Structure formats: C-alpha cells, structure tokens
Amino acid sequence: MKVISVEDKLSVNKFDIDKDVHIRIAEDICQTCNHHACIYVCPASCYKLSDGGITFSYEGCLECGSCNIACDKGAIDWTLPRPGFGICYQYG
Amino acid sequence: MEQEFDAIVVGAGPAGSACAYKLANAGLQVLVIDRGKFVGAKNMWGGAFYGGDLLNLLPNFCEEAPFERYVTRQKISFLTEEDCLSVDFASPKFKEPAPHGFVMLRSKFDRWFADKAQEAGAVVAPGLGADDLLWDGSRVVGVKAGSDELPASVVVACDGANSGMAQKAGLQKELSSEDMKQGVKEVIELSEEIIEQRFGLSGKEGIAWEFVGSCTQGLPGGGFIYTNKDSLSVGIVVQLDALVKRKVQANDLLEGFKSHPEVARVIEGGKLVEYSAHLIPVSGINMMPELSRDGFLVAGDAAALVLGTGLILEGANFAVASGIAAAETVIEAKERGDFSNESLSMYRRLLEDSYVLKDLRTFRKAPHFLENPHIYNLYPELACDVARRVFIGDGQPRKTTWDNVRDSLKGRASLLQILPDLWQGKGAI
Ligand SMILES: Cc1cc2nc3c(=O)[nH]c(=O)nc-3n(C[C@H](O)[C@H](O)[C@H](O)COP(=O)(O)OP(=O)(O)OC[C@H]3O[C@@H](n4cnc5c(N)ncnc54)[C@H](O)[C@@H]3O)c2cc1C
Ligand code: SF4
Ligand code: SF4
C-alpha cells in the first residue's frame, strides 16, 4: 500500500491560516537539544531537522499541544491561533 | 457584551454543551464561548458515545441527533505483523431497552449539541476564546476574551485536554507527556453499501473496533476503526512519551496499521477526506486537579475525567455527566446566592456519587498497568501463535490446546514473567 505523507494528508484539511504566527521556537536552544522530541510528537510534521537545528512552520498545526508538553527545554513559546483561525475540522 | 451572566462556560465540547443546556433549561443566564470558527471545528475523537446520559438529557436524541450509526457490534482484535485474533461481540442488548452506543463525527455532533443549548436559551458564541480569568482577590469573576472582559458569577472550564483555564485558576499543574496519549485519525470516505457489505451491517447498525498489538509497534496504545454512515474513522492512540523514546511519529504507526491485511481489506478504495489529531489525558484520578475554587468549576477532559482500561477509552460520556453535575451545582449555588468554593463543593460530591469518580477510582491502577509493553507485543503474539497452532494444521499429529499454549510460551516468556502481569492486571483492569 502507498504510504501517504503527513503533508499530503494535511492538504485535504480545511484551515483558515492566520497571518500571525502562533508558535515560536528558540532556535539556539534547539541547536543543543539532545532528543528533538518535537519532531516525533508533532502529528503535523511542523518541526523539521535541518543542519542539526530545527525549523518550524506553523501553517499545518493541528493545535494538539503535544510539542509544548514534550519539549522540556523551554524552547517553545506556545499559543493557539487566534479564535476562528487555524484548523477547521469538517468531520472530526 | 454588557449583560452579566450567571455562568460563563468556556468550551462547547460535550461537557460545555451539556452544562449550558442544563443551566439554560433551569432559566439561568449562560454564555458559552468556543474558540472554533464554528462549534466543533477544533474537535476530533475515535469515536462512539456510550451510555444513557445524552438520551436522558435530550429526550428526542435518537430522532434528531446527527449521529452516524448505532454501535451494534463491539470488536477487539489482537494484531501481529500478519495475523489477527478477534473477539467480536454482538448482542440485542446493544439496542434494547435503549441504544447503548452512538458512532459520531464531532464536527457535526458538537455543532448540533451547542444549537440545542442555544434553543434552550444559552448564548453561544463561537469564534471567541478565553485568554485569561478575571479575578476579585482569590475569587474568579469572569473571563477575558480578546479585548472583552466578560463578568459572571461562576466560570465553568470545559476547555478540553489542554485546559488553559484550569491552569490559570491554579488547579491543574503543567501537563506531562507520561499522562497523555496522542490520537491521530483519518476519515476515509466509502459508500454506504460498501461499508455495510464489508462489515456485515444493515440500516443504522455500526461497529466499534479496537486493536491491540503490532499497530503501535509495541508502544502503549492501540488502533481503532469506527463505521460512520458513509466513511470510516481509522486511527491510532499512543502514549506521548513513548513516541519520543522510540523516535517514531504517530502517523508512521497509522500508516503501518492501515497496511495490516485486516485493515487494508476494509479501507481498500476509500478516499481520505480528513486527517486530525488530539491529546487525551489518560492518568485518570492520578492527574485529576482540584475540581473547584471560588467562582470556578472544571469539567470533562479539562479535569482529566477519562476512563481508559485497555479495552475501552471513554471520555465524552464522562464529560457530559460532569457538565451536568456542574450545572446542577451552579443552579443550587444561584438559589443560595453563594458561589464560594464551599458552596460549589457539591460538584465533587455529585461526581463521587456517580459513575464518574467511582469508575476512575475502580480503575485507578489501570494507567500504570497499561504501560506494560507485554500487553502490546508478547500477549498479542502469544494469542495469535496459539490460534495458528490450533487452527492451521501442519500435517503433524495434533496437540491439546494446553500443549499448544506451552509450546507457544517456549522461547517467548516464562511463567515467572507472566505471573506478575496477571497479578497486577487483576487489581488494575
Ligand atoms: C483519538 C481519540 C479518540 C477518542 N475516542 C473516544 C470514544 O470513542 N468515546 C469517548 O467517549 N471518548 C473518546 N475520546 C475522548 C473524548 O473525545 C473526550 O473525552 C471528550 O471530547 C471531552 O469532552 P470535553 O467537552 O471535556 O472537551 P473537548 O471535546 O475537547 O471540548 C473542548 C472545547 O473547548 C474549546 N476551547 C478550548 N480552549 C478554549 C478557550 N480558551 N476558549 C474557548 N474555547 C476553548 C475547544 O474549541 C473545544 O470545542 C477520544 C479522544 C481522542 C483524542
Ligand atoms: S523545540 Fe524543544 S524538543 Fe524540539 S529541538 Fe527544540 S529544544 Fe528540543
Ligand atoms: S500543537 Fe501539535 S500540531 Fe501544532 S506544532 Fe505542536 S505538536 Fe504540532
């Protein structure tokens, strides 16, 4: 069976993407992180490894809160998108 | 908004809508706010709603509610990479005297439920999120939502698993990844006829199907399939800290699950129409916060009122039951004109007397027991291996089932390993 990537899955979802970024990471802390928990817990693959550091994109965020709980280094400034923006489940 | 409300309910999931419906029916002024663009926009689950709470609260539930199917079969399967051993339970008791379970999609259901609260007289405001609480000394006196300050005699936090409100009220501590499971799910569209044919269903019959074993690669959690009317909900639930330890994403587990022959067969030809994720608080009473303070109550997932026993994972019925108990408490507090913590402590008593806290106490050891990896690798493998030996002959003389079990155990586990599991399981699940 064909494996579907997270990106392809997210593309069928309905989002109302805000221009405001609702999650920010302290890249310097991530550079020295020894577990990169965010990569494994994010169901939307918003966190990506690049050159030993982390890049983050907020657009596909499913607002689950996993990254904020799993990062024990205080590197994530986590909030939810403004009310009305973000993921808009049609089925749920 | 100028009006002062008796109660502000934060969040219109099952807890919030049940609470608001009950309050509005009793004639109280109630405002429900939800951060979704529409109610339900942020919510996902497995899932099926079990038990009679909704039927009791909403007299015309069966005729009016937008549920997908009744639960008329409950199936649990133990998986290895290739094999699948199942218990498939069907009973007329699922339908009589009243339907026992309803398969639902949350985006539709939550919107409908909030509309019911609105019809009863509650003001429902989607697109409005609580950012903070308003205080008068140590008493909560309302919420801040964007630039609005919304005063109320009492705030009921029904804001779900990531409850910012319970934390802001100083009741819930920071959440830990050992106390949370992550659920990821696909909704896969298939015609009604194909679903009924593949699952042997007719009319509004439906199946709730749980999986344990290779679907989580041995990590604490499981898989699920629920039959909607013309789609399937297919997903994985997995312990959050286990993903980090194993360095795997839940979506990888979901893809593996979907490729298991027994699962691939039923989703074949379906079209992905949504991918969703959500957290579940799973440590039950061990992580439950204090439930009230002056002017403030917490209900549903925000209070970690979820029951996971390995065989079942239920939270929506606990959310509804706690939302109703919160409403009953607020109604009496209003009569007394006293919203102090002491007056609101009736809430805890109501929950202690109902299945909500009784069940969470009965299964208080389950969360720890369910961390045992044997449940997810050793036992499904053993079960499937015994079945293989019993059902698939190899041309050799047959053995008794007991000897098959013994042969299966050989090289896998000793009784000394298994006995402690049995002993722990006895008191836990
Ligand atoms: C994968 C998965 C499978 C599950 N399967 C089942 C099942 O089969 N059966 C079952 O009974 N339970 C199941 N559950 C558990 C069940 O979904 C929850 O227990 C239930 O939804 C809890 O209801 P609630 O009202 O407390 O919270 P939620 O349903 O989470 O509702 C919270 C609401 O609050 C809103 N909100 C949050 N923050 C704010 C804010 N600051 N301001 C305004 N609004 C806010 C949200 O938008 C949301 O609408 C499952 C859960 C998951 C994740
Ligand atoms: S966000 Fe946290 S977990 Fe992720 S790399 Fe940075 S420090 Fe590590
Ligand atoms: S909240 Fe969830 S979906 Fe959003 S970035 Fe964090 S882990 Fe990913």
Side-chain angles (χ1 to χ4, degrees):
Chain A
M1 178 178 287
K2 193 173 127 263
V3 172
I4 314 177
S5 72
V6 168
E7 286 74 13
D8 285 346
K9 291 186 185 189
L10 293 171
S11 73
V12 306
N13 285 358
K14 187 158 174 353
F15 288 96
D16 257 309
I17 297 173
D18 197 356
K19 56 182 193 325
D20 290 358
V21 180
H22 65 280
I23 296 174
R24 288 174 196 280
I25 58 167
E27 285 168 22
D28 50 327
I29 302 182
C30 302
Q31 283 285 351
T32 60
C33 177
N34 56 351
H35 54 61
H36 298 141
C38 51
I39 293 184
Y40 306 107
V41 299
C42 179
S45 291
C46 293
Y47 295 83
K48 294 233 154 50
L49 203 57
S50 78
D51 296 332
I54 296 285
T55 56
F56 175 79
S57 51
Y58 74 102
E59 289 85 353
C61 174
L62 296 171
E63 303 165 31
C64 67
S66 301
C67 55
N68 190 37
I69 294 174
C71 175
D72 55 4
K73 311 248 185 282
I76 303 180
D77 178 9
W78 189 86
T79 63
L80 288 163
R82 285 187 299 160
F85 289 100
I87 183 66
C88 244
Y89 290 130
Q90 309 290 306
Y91 297 84
Chain B
M1 271 174 239
E2 292 293 295
Q3 181 187 5
E4 160 125 15
F5 290 94
D6 293 316
I8 292 178
V9 176
V10 181
S17 286
C19 182
Y21 178 83
K22 184 99 190 169
L23 287 172
N25 263 330
L28 272 69
Q29 302 294 316
V30 47
L31 168 69
V32 192
I33 61 174
D34 196 285
R35 49 179 297 277
K37 181 172 200 155
F38 49 84
V39 169
K42 302 297 182 190
N43 302 340
M44 65 79 78
W45 72 339
F49 189 96
Y50 295 103
D53 290 331
L54 284 175
L55 296 176
N56 296 337
L57 188 68
L58 302 152
N60 297 327
F61 184 84
C62 288
E63 294 76 40
E64 290 180 20
F67 64 92
E68 299 291 314
R69 290 171 184 275
Y70 294 108
V71 176
T72 51
R73 299 189 91 84
Q74 197 113 23
K75 195 166 165 181
I76 175 142
S77 294
F78 301 94
L79 296 183
T80 66
E81 288 294 320
E82 291 184 324
D83 298 341
C84 173
L85 175 68
S86 305
V87 179
D88 185 354
F89 183 61
S91 165
K93 291 266 176 347
F94 276 126
K95 292 183 218 164
E96 302 294 335
H100 166 72
F102 303 89
V103 181
M104 307 198 289
L105 289 165
R106 294 289 301 279
S107 186
K108 288 188 219 170
F109 173 72
D110 287 6
R111 211 176 327 176
W112 176 84
F113 198 5
D115 284 348
K116 285 282 140 192
Q118 184 148 7
E119 281 167 28
V123 179
V124 180
L128 201 58
D131 301 313
D132 212 337
L133 296 168
L134 296 176
W135 295 90
D136 177 6
S138 65
R139 196 160 66 93
V140 175
V141 292
V143 300
K144 270 190 208 158
S147 53
D148 293 328
E149 296 207 338
L150 308 167
S153 306
V154 64
V155 172
V156 189
C158 301
D159 50 339
N162 274 312
S163 178
M165 293 302 111
Q167 287 191 3
K168 295 233 189 275
L171 300 186
Q172 182 62 289
K173 59 179 177 11
E174 251 186 53
L175 298 167
S176 139
S177 49
E178 285 108 60
D179 291 329
M180 306 304 265
K181 281 198 166 83
Q182 185 184 84
V184 291
K185 158 174 127 169
E186 290 181 18
V187 178
I188 299 176
E189 208 169 65
L190 277 169
S191 75
E192 229 173 306
E193 297 75 55
I194 292 186
I195 290 176
E196 288 172 7
Q197 185 198 339
R198 286 185 188 170
F199 291 88
L201 305 169
S202 66
K204 289 210 128 209
E205 290 176 344
I207 181 165
W209 192 359
E210 312 289 338
F211 297 82
V212 182
S214 65
C215 51
T216 53
Q217 296 181 8
L219 303 178
F224 60 81
I225 296 180
Y226 292 87
T227 52
N228 302 312
K229 187 162 176 279
D230 50 14
S231 65
L232 300 176
S233 292
V234 181
I236 289 283
V237 165
V238 60
Q239 191 79 20
L240 195 58
D241 57 329
L243 292 173
V244 180
K245 284 181 201 142
R246 183 65 66 82
K247 296 191 183 299
V248 64
Q249 288 186 334
N251 184 57
D252 298 332
L253 303 180
L254 177 56
E255 286 302 303
F257 176 51
K258 282 164 55 198
S259 69
H260 190 283
E262 281 304 291
V263 178
R265 213 165 53 80
V266 294
I267 63 173
E268 163 85 42
K271 179 178 159 222
L272 171 72
V273 291
E274 191 166 88
Y275 171 67
S276 55
H278 206 282
L279 286 179
I280 314 165
V282 288
S283 294
I285 205 139
N286 311 305
M287 71 182 293
M288 189 178 81
E290 288 292 329
L291 297 171
S292 64
R293 63 176 299 158
D294 294 335
F296 188 83
L297 291 167
V298 202
D301 276 15
L305 304 176
V306 175
L307 179 69
T309 69
L311 296 178
I312 56 170
L313 177 75
E314 295 180 2
N317 43 357
F318 287 74
V320 168
S322 60
I324 293 171
E328 287 168 348
T329 304
V330 169
I331 292 165
E332 290 220 359
K334 159 102 180 165
E335 274 169 20
R336 283 193 296 268
D338 178 3
F339 293 93
S340 67
N341 192 23
E342 199 185 333
S343 170
L344 297 179
S345 66
M346 171 186 162
Y347 175 52
R348 171 135 200 162
R349 284 197 302 281
L350 288 175
L351 294 184
E352 292 281 4
D353 289 343
S354 79
Y355 71 86
V356 174
L357 289 186
K358 288 203 159 88
D359 284 359
L360 292 191
R361 280 192 203 291
T362 302
F363 291 98
R364 71 189 176 283
K365 291 184 184 159
H368 176 66
F369 176 73
L370 292 172
E371 287 167 15
N372 183 343
H374 285 171
I375 301 171
Y376 311 98
N377 47 38
L378 176 63
Y379 296 123
E381 273 173 30
L382 268 178
C384 286
D385 190 61
V386 171
R388 216 179 295 127
R389 289 166 194 268
V390 170
F391 295 122
I392 306 178
D394 56 2
Q396 302 299 315
R398 284 175 192 275
K399 293 183 177 170
T400 61
T401 304
W402 177 248
D403 283 344
N404 278 324
V405 171
R406 199 199 50 211
D407 289 353
S408 252
L409 275 170
K410 254 185 227 156
R412 281 201 170 82
S414 68
L415 271 182
L416 278 179
Q417 280 174 291
I418 290 178
L419 285 175
D421 292 351
L422 287 175
W423 179 248
Q424 273 191 15
K426 188 175 140 279
I429 57 167

